Amino acid sequence: MTTTGVPLVNWGGNVTFRAVRLHRPASVDELRRIVAGSRRVRALGSGHSFSLVADTTHDLVRLDRLPATVEIDAASLTATVGAGARYAEVAAELHRAGFALANLASLPHISVGGAYATGTHGSGDTQRCLSASVAALQLVGPDGDLVERSRDVDGDAFAGSVVALGALGIVTRLRLRIEPAFEVAQRVRLGVALDEVADRLDEVFGAAYSVSAFTDWRSGVAGVWLKSRTDQPGTGWAGGRPADRPLHPVPGLPAGSCTEQLGVAGPWHERLPHFRPELTPSTGKELQSELYLPRDVAPDAFAAIRGVGHLVAPVLQIAEIRTVAADDLWLSPAYGRDCVTLHFTWAPDAAAVLPVLAAVEERLMPLGARPHWGKLTTAGPQEIIGRYQRRDQFARLAAECDPDGKFRNAFVDSLFPVR
């Protein structure tokens, strides 16, 4: 199915895609024909990115009409899934078969392919970004050819093929590492001093399998969401006071869209996300930014943001602190280092937000921050890509896979200028 002339807007409402045509193929063969016949083409996932990573002035492809298959290989503990499927669909199917993914993002509504292409993550001291679970993938190359890549066959080069910003081709399916299903119980601790979070970072973020701290950066306190695997111990940290009712991460909002809390154990896919897949989690239109920083600079990063907390809080809905383990994916913001990530959900007012974001990044970029590829940033593209040690290897890989630049767009060009 192809449409023209219909404005397409992203989830947050801040990006109107400029594509002249939107394609929604119903089969991989149809997708191959579209790619072969296009001069320039980009893939769009669930539209949850706030940056221009998926934008194009040519052809845009959504994969949400492709079969959302989940093929489980219990012997190898892998599952092959369609790139256009949403995590909620994949997780439910895996759970029915007795399996799980190690981690999930806060929103189960996002597409698998889009999340992996941009290095999206969940939280957990032992958990790498979602992309690190990919063992193999299939993509459509510039001539409509099907290309298979795997860690077993392609070795180090495969590490450049997962978080690839759509620059290598249109990914159709991915083979993911899975594990036996497990249960999680979610508890919330309130009134935790940010000083305690900074000074006892290992205790706080090691207190559960997945931990998130929510704050406004001005009050000096946080609420800490603890998602504990029932088969694994934590550090025993129990700062602040326990919540006595379910809560939404954004203070004052109803908790009906949130996953179950108060320590009630349940399936992994119904606790690791913050929000239920069948309900709309958004507070309304919003803007988002996020920065990955080396874990060991977390106290300095906290102090830097608190120094401008009086600027941040008035244009902020909520901020979230998470941890992500290091990986080897060339363009992953967690490449080569354990990270603390600082996420900001802003009010939907770019004119008010961008100067504040600039003030935040002015303080955090010198500490080694890498912006999330799918979020807003005021940092220049060459400043950003200069923080990736394998950038030159990726540029060569992209040129080999797509010599005529069929899958490039302005976003990719700004990072990897054609020479």
Side-chain angles (χ1 to χ4, degrees):
M1 183 176 74
T2 301
T3 59
T4 60
V6 179
L8 179 65
V9 180
N10 71 333
W11 184 85
N14 69 303
V15 173
T16 299
F17 296 98
R18 298 171 295 164
V20 294
R21 286 173 295 274
L22 171 66
H23 305 273
R24 295 179 64 210
S27 69
V28 172
D29 284 343
E30 184 182 352
L31 171 63
R32 294 175 66 185
R33 291 192 293 271
I34 291 167
V35 171
S38 297
R39 179 169 171 263
R40 293 284 187 273
V41 60
R42 295 286 291 178
L44 175 66
S46 57
H48 195 265
S49 289
F50 294 79
S51 72
L52 297 176
V53 62
D55 193 28
T56 181
T57 55
H58 296 85
D59 289 295
L60 198 60
V61 174
R62 297 196 81 155
L63 306 181
D64 56 340
R65 294 183 68 228
L66 294 185
T69 56
V70 178
E71 301 170 2
I72 297 170
D73 184 338
S76 66
L77 282 179
T78 61
T80 300
V81 307
R86 297 183 183 240
Y87 270 98
E89 301 164 340
V90 172
E93 189 65 27
L94 287 175
H95 185 72
R96 277 192 288 270
F99 294 99
L101 296 170
N103 208 354
L104 291 170
S106 59
L107 286 174
H109 310 70
I110 61 177
S111 71
V112 170
Y116 293 132
T118 55
T120 295
H121 63 94
S123 186
D125 281 358
T126 63
Q127 298 306 307
R128 299 176 296 170
C129 74
L130 305 182
S131 313
S133 71
V134 179
L137 55 82
Q138 179 192 78
L139 55 81
V140 177
D143 296 324
D145 48 320
L146 285 178
V147 180
E148 304 281 347
R149 295 184 176 274
S150 73
R151 188 173 285 275
D152 290 342
V153 174
D154 296 291
D156 184 52
F158 183 72
S161 303
V162 184
V163 184
L165 310 180
L168 306 185
I170 308 295
V171 176
T172 60
R173 68 184 187 192
L174 305 106
R175 189 166 81 240
L176 311 179
R177 297 182 188 88
I178 59 176
E179 60 184 84
F182 54 89
E183 288 202 331
V184 172
Q186 182 173 203
R187 296 176 175 85
V188 177
R189 309 289 301 187
L190 301 175
V192 180
L194 281 175
D195 287 338
E196 180 175 1
V197 178
D199 296 341
R200 302 174 64 185
L201 191 79
D202 291 347
E203 287 183 68
V204 174
F205 283 91
Y209 182 71
S210 176
V211 178
S212 294
F214 291 94
T215 184
D216 63 4
W217 289 115
R218 180 172 60 181
S219 64
V221 297
V224 180
W225 265 242
L226 302 167
K227 301 170 188 279
S228 302
R229 278 185 64 151
T230 57
D231 60 344
Q232 293 183 3
T235 62
W237 174 86
R241 66 184 189 278
D244 59 5
R245 57 186 174 85
L247 295 170
H248 193 288
V250 180
L253 291 183
S257 64
C258 298
T259 50
E260 191 159 359
Q261 302 166 23
L262 299 178
V264 178
W268 59 281
H269 66 299
E270 295 179 359
R271 298 294 185 276
L272 289 178
H274 294 325
F275 300 102
R276 301 172 188 263
E278 71 274 15
L279 299 173
T280 302
S282 175
T283 63
K285 288 187 177 180
E286 61 193 49
L287 301 174
Q288 293 183 10
S289 62
E290 185 170 31
L291 297 157
Y292 296 62
L293 290 111
R295 185 183 175 110
D296 58 5
V297 306
D300 293 334
F302 291 6
I305 303 178
R306 293 178 70 180
V308 290
H310 63 289
L311 301 177
V312 170
V315 292
L316 186 72
Q317 294 187 27
I318 197 65
E320 182 177 9
I321 307 164
R322 289 179 282 182
T323 57
V324 182
D327 61 58
D328 68 345
L329 305 177
W330 296 354
L331 292 189
S332 166
Y335 174 82
R337 67 190 195 189
D338 292 337
C339 290
V340 59
T341 68
L342 306 180
H343 184 278
F344 301 83
T345 299
W346 304 101
D349 183 349
V353 166
L354 290 177
V356 178
L357 175 56
V360 169
E361 292 187 326
E362 180 182 1
R363 288 156 177 80
L364 295 184
M365 294 298 281
L367 297 177
R370 293 171 180 159
H372 189 303
W373 294 116
K375 311 293 185 182
L376 293 177
T377 181
T378 63
Q382 287 305 299
E383 180 184 9
I384 294 170
I385 201 61
R387 292 159 190 260
Y388 289 84
Q389 296 95 313
R390 307 298 293 273
R391 58 189 178 276
D392 292 338
Q393 289 97 320
F394 181 82
R396 289 195 291 271
L397 178 63
E400 291 168 5
C401 295
D402 182 25
D404 295 325
K406 177 170 285 193
F407 302 111
R408 297 175 72 97
N409 65 352
F411 187 94
V412 173
D413 287 343
S414 69
L415 297 164
F416 304 99
V418 177
R419 292 183 172 86

